[in-house]
Amino acid sequence: MPERHSPPTERVTQVLNLLAEHPREPLTLARIAQRLALSKPTCLGILTTLTKAGYAHRTPDKAYRLGPALGRIGRASEDGTTPLDALLPHLHALHRRLGLSCLLTSMREDEIVVVGRAGAIRAAAARDLVGERFPAVPPLGLTQLLWSGDQVLHDWLARTPLVPVTARHGVLNAVVQDARTRGYLVEHLAGTPAARNEVLANLITSGMAETVIATLRGYLPEADWSEYADPQTTGPRDVASIHAPVHDRHGAQRYGIAVVVGRRRVPARTCDAWARATADAARAATAAIGGWTPWAG
């Protein structure tokens, strides 16, 4: 059958989508009509119907925002749809676009859990990673928490670290603010064959005796957050991974997308393009689960 479109329905969805883009900012009739290129009478009719149904709310100063009935619909959608069904297509699309392995992670009971993967992490590697858990203890977990808010980050830093943390808080604050502004965080390879955090995570989940793990942790370099600092160079970069957040409908970071690079001397332009693509995929995934980010812009 040929596809059929309903222009009136499309106009209604345009209004709802515009209101959803401004959850904290009521919009006037004139602004909504101008943004959507609708006549004021048509726009007013849509808004009046949505308000009666509870899908929009009219404020005392005659502006409009999303209505309470949408909360019920959102909760029903969350209960009836697995978020991974909506998220994994974006992960696989990013993998196809970049040709790099991608991971989807989530926080569960103070642990980082790998919930999705696209592409092999290493050539001929049999390890799946999906389902593996890592403790969210400094320095592990920064990329899963820094977009969650200052209090969450403060509580994480208060935990006893897996390796000594020697950097001042100002260094981490600069990294966090830059990542929140950009919408992504690049982890660089810092003088070793593999990133320290990768080695640490693999060590923690190795299954070796705790005494052996504790001894080997003592040989790892201290955490100073230098691997996340912007190299301030136009030359090639040694890139371990690239991270971006996926937020839920409350504006909380619920998932993290990680692109596993593990390459040296990546051209700066290529690294920037990969980072922007990762952030774009994370924003699309956020929209797919009805989320919004408090750090937009």
Side-chain angles (χ1 to χ4, degrees):
M1 294 181 60
E3 291 188 0
R4 298 182 64 86
H5 298 279
S6 171
T9 305
E10 289 180 350
R11 289 192 286 270
V12 173
T13 57
Q14 287 174 347
V15 171
L16 287 172
N17 286 333
L18 180 60
L19 294 178
E21 291 173 3
H22 302 271
R24 300 284 190 270
E25 177 190 3
L27 303 178
T28 64
L29 169 64
R31 185 175 177 188
I32 295 171
Q34 181 182 26
R35 287 284 300 274
L36 300 178
L38 298 174
S39 68
K40 285 187 179 181
T42 296
C43 193
L44 179 59
I46 293 172
L47 288 167
T48 300
T49 302
L50 290 175
T51 300
K52 288 181 178 179
Y55 298 146
H57 171 72
R58 188 171 185 260
T59 66
D61 56 354
K62 301 180 180 180
Y64 295 86
R65 58 164 31 120
L66 291 178
L70 289 174
R72 172 174 51 81
I73 293 177
R75 289 189 293 273
S77 175
E78 284 186 346
D79 293 339
T81 304
T82 302
L84 292 181
D85 294 342
L87 295 175
L88 290 177
H90 296 281
L91 192 73
H92 288 279
L94 181 63
H95 166 60
R96 291 191 298 269
R97 178 178 177 181
L98 302 184
L100 298 168
S101 302
C102 303
L103 295 176
L104 183 68
T105 60
S106 180
M107 280 292 299
R108 296 179 183 174
E109 299 178 353
D110 295 332
E111 290 185 312
I112 309 157
V113 183
V114 180
V115 295
R117 176 179 59 83
I121 301 303
R122 295 286 183 271
R127 188 178 177 188
D128 186 4
L129 282 182
V130 175
E132 293 199 12
R133 294 172 174 261
F134 309 92
V137 178
L140 299 182
L142 175 63
T143 57
Q144 190 66 49
L145 294 167
L146 76 88
W147 286 282
S148 295
D150 293 339
Q151 186 59 52
V152 173
L153 197 62
H154 179 272
D155 293 343
W156 172 74
L157 285 170
R159 299 172 186 171
T160 303
L162 296 171
V163 297
V165 177
T166 59
R168 299 174 181 173
H169 283 307
V171 175
L172 181 59
N173 286 340
V175 169
V176 168
Q177 296 307 319
D178 184 64
R180 288 174 177 174
T181 300
R182 294 175 184 265
Y184 63 81
L185 181 64
V186 177
E187 180 180 2
H188 299 90
L189 293 166
T192 57
R196 181 202 57 239
N197 290 343
E198 178 185 355
V199 174
L200 185 56
N202 288 329
L203 181 61
I204 294 296
T205 59
S206 65
M208 292 188 291
E210 290 295 329
T211 54
V212 176
I213 293 176
T215 300
L216 295 177
R217 274 167 39 197
Y219 291 97
L220 294 176
E222 299 173 336
D224 60 3
W225 316 119
S226 60
E227 67 269 35
Y228 299 115
D230 188 340
Q232 299 291 331
T233 178
T234 58
R237 302 172 183 175
D238 300 333
V239 183
S241 54
I242 303 171
H243 304 264
V246 177
H247 291 84
D248 63 15
R249 64 187 180 91
H250 302 291
Q253 183 181 355
R254 188 170 180 185
Y255 297 93
I257 290 179
V259 174
V260 183
V261 181
R263 298 182 186 179
R264 296 193 179 276
R265 300 193 62 76
V266 176
R269 181 177 298 179
T270 300
C271 179
D272 292 341
W274 288 349
R276 288 193 297 271
T278 305
D280 289 344
R283 282 190 288 268
T286 294
I289 62 172
W292 64 280
T293 172
W295 315 111

